[in-house]
Amino acid sequence: MENVLQRLLDAELKAQAIVENAKNERDQLVSEAREEVKRAEQRFELRIPEIYSAFTDKAEERAKTQINELERRYQERRQLLTELSKQHQKQAVADVLDLLLNVEKN
């Protein structure tokens, strides 16, 4: 009987040691995971200016593209209006001259 009790006591001590080792491993893994998260956050913090710069560069490029497109359309519209005014200028001068010369007839 004493032998069985001793074996049970030994088994319990081994089980406690296993549990203690598992707790220590768990604590170590949690600690390592926290450190890795901390390092990842630090890497991210260091990249924030780079990310911001890339975003700003892309936004500026899109803005320049939009400005160029607006300027191109403005120039096209301006050219069209200039051509239309030249086309109608001769007719307008002729109409005004006709009105002035033929005032007595109207």
Side-chain angles (χ1 to χ4, degrees):
M1 181 76 168
E2 188 176 310
N3 191 18
V4 172
L5 291 176
Q6 187 60 41
R7 284 180 27 210
L8 285 174
L9 182 59
D10 289 343
E12 184 179 352
L13 291 174
K14 282 183 183 180
Q16 285 179 346
I18 290 171
V19 167
E20 191 63 33
N21 286 338
K23 285 181 181 179
N24 289 337
E25 281 186 44
R26 180 201 61 198
D27 291 344
Q28 184 178 357
L29 288 173
V30 168
S31 178
E32 288 173 3
R34 285 184 179 152
E35 288 298 317
E36 182 56 35
V37 167
K38 188 176 180 179
R39 286 190 297 272
E41 286 175 344
Q42 289 171 344
R43 286 191 303 269
F44 178 74
E45 289 289 327
L46 291 174
R47 289 196 61 226
I48 287 176
E50 176 188 338
I51 294 168
Y52 178 79
S53 177
F55 175 79
T56 303
D57 291 346
K58 286 180 185 177
E60 285 177 3
E61 186 62 34
R62 286 191 303 269
K64 287 178 185 177
T65 301
Q66 286 293 94
I67 289 169
N68 290 338
E69 179 63 20
L70 288 172
E71 286 178 351
R72 184 189 61 77
R73 284 193 271 162
Y74 169 77
Q75 290 300 326
E76 288 175 356
R77 184 74 173 152
R78 184 172 183 254
Q79 184 179 1
L80 177 65
L81 291 173
T82 301
E83 289 173 7
L84 285 172
S85 76
K86 285 180 183 178
Q87 288 174 4
H88 293 94
Q89 183 179 8
K90 290 180 185 177
Q91 184 62 42
V93 169
D95 289 346
V96 169
L97 188 57
D98 185 51
L99 283 173
L100 291 174
L101 294 175
N102 298 315
V103 167
E104 295 173 4
K105 291 182 184 178
N106 293 333

